[in-house]
Amino acid sequence: MIEIRNVTKRFGSLVAVNDLSLEIGAGEVFGFIGPNGAGKSTTMKILACLLAPDAGTAKVGGLDVTSDGDRIRQILGYMPDFLGVYDDLTVDEYLQFFAAAFRIHRRKRGQIIDSVLELTDLVEKKKAMVSSLSRGMQQRLGVARVLIHEPKVLLLDEPASGLDPRARIEMRSLLQELARMGKSLMVSSHILSELAEMCTTIGIIERGKLLYAGSIQEAYARTRPGEQIEVRLESPAAAGGANGSDTPADGAGDGNVIDPDVLERARAALEGDARVHAVAVVASPRAALQVSLVPGEHSHHFIIERLLGAGLRIAAFTPKEVRLEEAFLKLTTGALQ
């Protein structure tokens, strides 16, 4: 639905977007990641036909942004990072105004407005003044506005910016529902954990240059080639006190105290396996072994079997997930130096 080829946009000596190429397919939820000034908003404004690229081409639904602006606006909804609202209108009047701007027939407007209010959970606020809405409700009203003409593509620039935790959860649920409806979404955000939960693909941009575009899983694979598992072990004294008593020996109840002999036996049991890439000791927040598997290995059960076979007791076994923040830092560190 979105195709960008070698797009560059300059503002004087500042290169806001630098030779950017990107594709977003129908039904995708694309997360656009980058710091302030990276070029996210400029890219979205080009796609929304608000800015013309200085070089390259950009298309939405096969239509060129420089020559087919009117047709693109019929299939695209754009919500900027700062949503201006008309405080002296009611929610219904606000949406009626934009329905008229999109030339929706008067007889159809009421039904469409009721539909988008229900989708955005604003039905009870239909007669309320826009100025009385909370920040979160105003953001949802902004989404309702861009849905008035039933667009196939949505560009949402920082839709969760400035929202409290509850409002962010509500916004995330709304965007997930839009994705289930089959709409293509391009969403920019600094809240990386939320993008990880709802996006199918991501793009990382910094100083106008696209550093990565693809699936979240591929980004994770580049960040950490092999899976990692954290294993906490019990010292022999942890199972019971000295001389067979039920009271643990001094230090045995401390999760940070591990008998060095236990660690060495665990190392020997695991490092000899071809499926293990490396074994390291991590001391924070609790002493544990971090086991890195070779790329492509996804089975964890053999670790438990080998440790138990060596006569060791396992206190905790936790596969470690890669966070989007970790992938972002790994993929951007030193990339433009």
Side-chain angles (χ1 to χ4, degrees):
M1 291 298 290
I2 292 176
E3 182 180 340
I4 302 173
R5 288 284 179 268
N6 306 111
V7 163
T8 295
K9 181 63 182 178
R10 298 180 179 87
F11 297 98
S13 61
L14 174 65
V15 181
V17 177
N18 187 0
D19 194 31
L20 188 147
S21 295
L22 180 66
E23 287 189 16
I24 301 175
E28 280 192 34
V29 182
F30 180 84
F32 210 20
I33 302 171
N36 289 331
K40 304 187 302 297
S41 296
T42 300
T43 301
M44 287 187 166
K45 288 177 181 178
I46 290 173
L47 293 172
C49 308
L50 297 175
L51 291 174
D54 295 322
T57 61
K59 296 181 179 181
V60 179
L63 304 171
D64 193 283
V65 298
T66 59
S67 58
D68 297 309
D70 288 342
R71 295 171 64 189
I72 286 176
R73 292 184 185 96
Q74 295 175 17
I75 63 170
L76 180 142
Y78 169 60
M79 180 177 167
D81 54 349
F82 178 75
L83 175 66
V85 294
Y86 303 136
D87 292 341
D88 57 348
L89 298 178
T90 66
V91 168
D92 183 53
E93 290 170 339
Y94 179 83
L95 295 177
Q96 289 281 354
F97 172 82
F98 283 98
F102 280 109
R103 299 179 181 176
I104 297 173
H105 197 283
R106 187 183 299 272
R107 286 180 297 181
K108 295 182 179 179
R109 292 178 197 168
Q111 181 180 354
I112 292 174
I113 288 172
D114 287 343
S115 177
V116 297
L117 287 176
E118 182 176 358
L119 179 62
T120 55
D121 197 22
L122 289 172
V123 173
E124 294 182 357
K125 297 296 182 178
K126 184 175 182 178
K127 299 302 180 182
M129 299 297 294
V130 171
S131 59
S132 72
L133 301 181
S134 66
R135 167 74 173 172
M137 289 181 180
Q138 288 191 4
Q139 290 291 86
R140 281 188 276 145
L141 178 60
V143 176
R145 174 180 64 78
V146 301
L147 293 174
I148 281 286
H149 61 301
E150 300 181 347
K152 297 178 181 178
V153 181
L154 294 175
L155 307 178
L156 306 176
D157 196 358
E158 298 283 353
S161 176
L163 301 187
D164 60 46
R166 180 181 182 85
R168 286 203 300 268
I169 292 172
E170 292 172 348
M171 178 61 69
R172 183 177 68 226
S173 298
L174 172 58
L175 299 187
Q176 289 172 332
E177 179 60 29
L178 293 174
R180 285 191 288 268
M181 294 169 62
K183 298 185 183 297
S184 298
L185 276 70
M186 185 179 194
V187 184
S188 73
S189 179
H190 292 121
I191 308 171
L192 304 188
S193 59
E194 294 191 352
L195 288 182
E197 293 180 13
M198 66 183 175
C199 293
T200 54
T201 54
I202 61 170
I204 298 175
I205 186 172
E206 189 166 354
R207 281 185 270 172
K209 196 75 174 178
L210 188 69
L211 303 181
Y212 172 82
S215 70
I216 293 180
Q217 288 71 27
E218 184 182 347
Y220 289 166
R222 291 193 186 187
T223 304
R224 186 187 294 171
E227 293 190 33
Q228 293 184 350
I229 298 91
E230 185 175 284
V231 183
R232 283 198 298 114
L233 301 168
E234 291 184 358
S235 293
N243 302 319
S245 70
D246 292 332
T247 303
D250 290 343
D254 186 346
N256 291 313
V257 177
I258 297 293
D259 189 331
D261 179 61
V262 171
L263 293 176
E264 289 306 314
R265 287 166 56 195
R267 282 181 186 274
L270 297 176
E271 287 182 338
D273 195 294
R275 293 165 289 188
V276 174
H277 172 68
V279 181
V281 177
V282 291
S284 178
R286 291 185 176 182
L289 288 179
Q290 184 168 284
V291 184
S292 301
L293 304 184
V294 297
E297 180 61 52
H298 302 292
S299 175
H300 305 155
H301 301 293
F302 76 92
I303 298 175
I304 298 175
E305 293 169 357
R306 292 188 71 91
L307 292 175
L308 293 179
L312 300 168
R313 296 172 62 90
I314 299 172
F317 185 92
T318 310
K320 299 189 66 178
E321 295 183 357
V322 184
R323 297 184 303 165
L324 188 54
E325 291 89 341
E326 182 182 347
F328 174 77
L329 291 174
K330 181 72 173 182
L331 293 170
T332 58
T333 300
L336 296 179
Q337 294 180 353

